[in-house]
Amino acid sequence: MTTQQRHGAPSGHEPRAVQKALALLEAVAKLGSGDTAKTIAAHTGIPPATAYRLLNLLVADGYLVRIEDLSGFALGRRTRELAGAAPPPADNGQILDELRGQVRFGIHLAAFTDDRVRLVDKDPDHELSGEQLLGTHLHASAIGKLLLAAHPALAGGLLRRVTAATITSPIVLAAELRRVTTADVATEIDECRVGRSALAVPVHADDGTLVGALAAIGTTGRIAVHDPALIDLLRTYAARLTLAAG
């Protein structure tokens, strides 16, 4: 019995299995971090049992990783390398690594492109679950609030309740965005995901245009989102980052 057979992997004579594995990787890339095996299977049309087995193999080989609470999956380093994903500019990478070495929670860099949120550098040591919510429910995240403060019309009409703490009143959100504009920092506490809090500061282009956000994201109760020292630290590093205007 081969090693491949012992681990329950498909044999080399099953090209369909390879196609299914690639379809699963593509689904995780499209759906974003945090979706469950059931959701990924439904998206691809692959039977759940087959999808779960292939997902576990992809995790074992480093093409996928499980998020912190083990509820879903995210792309692993080997997939990003295979895809030839362009790394962030070297200076940005060095700056972010330096900042990450000083804090105990996740540091993530987002770019605002065409009025959308795109994570361009995720903390490799702090997997971010529910990543897609950052782009689809701007009012629920610190990163999204920074974008909304600059472009309030992006909030649209109905404000969906993501958690019990999510702001769903347009009046309350308007007041929150005024605070964001005045303080030049945005925060969230259990609003995008229960048990998670964050603060984000803006990243500007040389001409002062808002082009992104630098965010610290951690467990509620452990990260002090209103800590002046942490806010100043993020601002100091945000001023050193370079992002192209979108």
Side-chain angles (χ1 to χ4, degrees), residues 142-164:
I143 292 174
K145 289 176 186 177
L146 279 179
L147 181 57
L148 287 179
H151 305 284
L154 294 177
L158 181 65
L159 301 176
R160 177 187 163 191
R161 185 182 300 279
V162 183
T163 74

Side-chain angles (χ1 to χ4, degrees), residues 110-150:
F112 299 149
T113 306
D114 297 326
D115 293 334
R116 297 175 65 87
V117 172
R118 181 170 60 92
L119 289 180
V120 294
D121 195 306
K122 309 173 197 177
D123 195 319
D125 296 321
H126 296 268
E127 187 59 50
L128 186 61
S129 58
E131 177 187 327
Q132 68 274 19
L133 293 175
L134 299 178
T136 57
H137 300 87
L138 299 176
H139 62 291
S141 72
I143 292 174
K145 289 176 186 177
L146 279 179
L147 181 57
L148 287 179

